[in-house]
Amino acid sequence: MTLCFHLGMTESFAWNYGSENQRFTDWKETSEILQEIHEEFVKDGGSLQYSHHWLPGDFIISDNLAVGHEASPETQFSPNKVGLRVMHRTTVKGTTPPQKNRG
């Protein structure tokens, strides 16, 4: 099973995708799942989270399909307050579907 999500844009979740039992969550159930995911992110003082403290010249590569992420409120402040945030997205197409390394 692969779980990929972006918390800011999730409309629904699919159960049993591609099968005759496939169903999508309604907004109430979707909201409850999103709340549970958020609670996992922040429990234990956020010990599960990585928060980067940027320095000039820092460069990060992240696999957005492999991480759950949400922006902290500070990222929405004006550039005058927090500096300019520049992000570039690159998608690399492979020849095989992603799968867990079981070795």
Side-chain angles (χ1 to χ4, degrees), residues 52 54-55 57-61:
H52 189 76
W54 292 94
L55 297 173
D58 281 358
F59 179 81
I60 292 180
I61 296 176

Side-chain angles (χ1 to χ4, degrees), residues 12-17 22-25:
S12 65
F13 292 91
W15 298 108
N16 303 309
Y17 183 76
Q22 174 180 309
R23 76 172 184 85
F24 292 89
T25 56

Side-chain angles (χ1 to χ4, degrees), residues 79-95:
N80 295 345
K81 223 176 192 180
V82 294
L84 182 61
R85 180 178 167 201
V86 178
M87 299 179 73
H88 298 281
R89 176 183 171 172
T90 302
T91 302
V92 178
K93 181 177 180 180
T95 57

Side-chain angles (χ1 to χ4, degrees), residues 27-90:
W27 181 243
K28 180 180 183 301
E29 187 177 12
T30 300
S31 297
E32 291 169 356
I33 293 169
L34 290 172
Q35 183 61 37
E36 288 177 25
I37 292 169
H38 176 77
E39 288 170 8
E40 285 296 315
F41 283 164
V42 299
K43 78 178 184 184
D44 300 328
S47 64
L48 180 68
Q49 300 174 27
Y50 171 77
S51 180
H52 189 76
H53 301 284
W54 292 94
L55 297 173
D58 281 358
F59 179 81
I60 292 180
I61 296 176
S62 170
D63 180 354
N64 275 355
L65 294 180
V67 298
H69 56 282
E70 64 181 12
S72 64
E74 297 81 22
T75 62
Q76 307 307 308
F77 292 166
S78 73
N80 295 345
K81 223 176 192 180
V82 294
L84 182 61
R85 180 178 167 201
V86 178
M87 299 179 73
H88 298 281
R89 176 183 171 172
T90 302

